[in-house]
Amino acid sequence: MSKYLRAEFVRTGFDATTILNGCDVIPERLNARIVRGWLYRDTKSTSAEFWNFVMARLGAAPDRTAKLPPLTRARRKTVD
């Protein structure tokens, strides 16, 4: 589970805090410290509700590389 979580964080570019930001409804008592515990294997078990919530959020997130198109000369002029 830790490897899957880590792979999703790498894919999305999110971290334990980012995944919970912008949520209207978060399961009670779920916080970034708990998610970090999963990531660094400090936590041996967790609530299925917490895990499913975080995995659903990560699964719905786009790939980090898909956020911006490649930086071409034409686009570079608009960015600079």
Side-chain angles (χ1 to χ4, degrees), residues 60-73:
D63 291 352
R64 140 173 73 178
T65 56
K67 290 183 180 176
L68 294 174
L71 192 59
T72 61
R73 270 193 200 133

Side-chain angles (χ1 to χ4, degrees), residues 5 25 34 62 72-73 76 78-79:
L5 179 67
V25 179
I34 291 172
T72 61
R73 270 193 200 133
R76 187 174 289 130
T78 63
V79 174

Side-chain angles (χ1 to χ4, degrees), residues 36-60:
R36 275 198 266 344
W38 303 340
L39 190 61
Y40 297 111
R41 298 182 185 173
D42 294 334
T43 304
K44 301 298 180 194
S45 64
T46 191
S47 160
E49 178 188 11
F50 291 178
W51 178 259
N52 293 334
F53 176 82
V54 170
M55 290 291 97
R57 291 272 300 160
L58 286 169

Side-chain angles (χ1 to χ4, degrees), residues 8-9 12-23 26 31-33 35-36 53-54 57-58 61-62 67:
E8 284 295 294
F9 276 144
T12 61
F14 286 179
D15 61 18
T17 304
T18 308
I19 195 66
L20 300 176
N21 287 346
C23 295
I26 299 174
N31 57 45
R33 186 178 52 81
V35 178
R36 275 198 266 344
F53 176 82
V54 170
R57 291 272 300 160
L58 286 169
K67 290 183 180 176

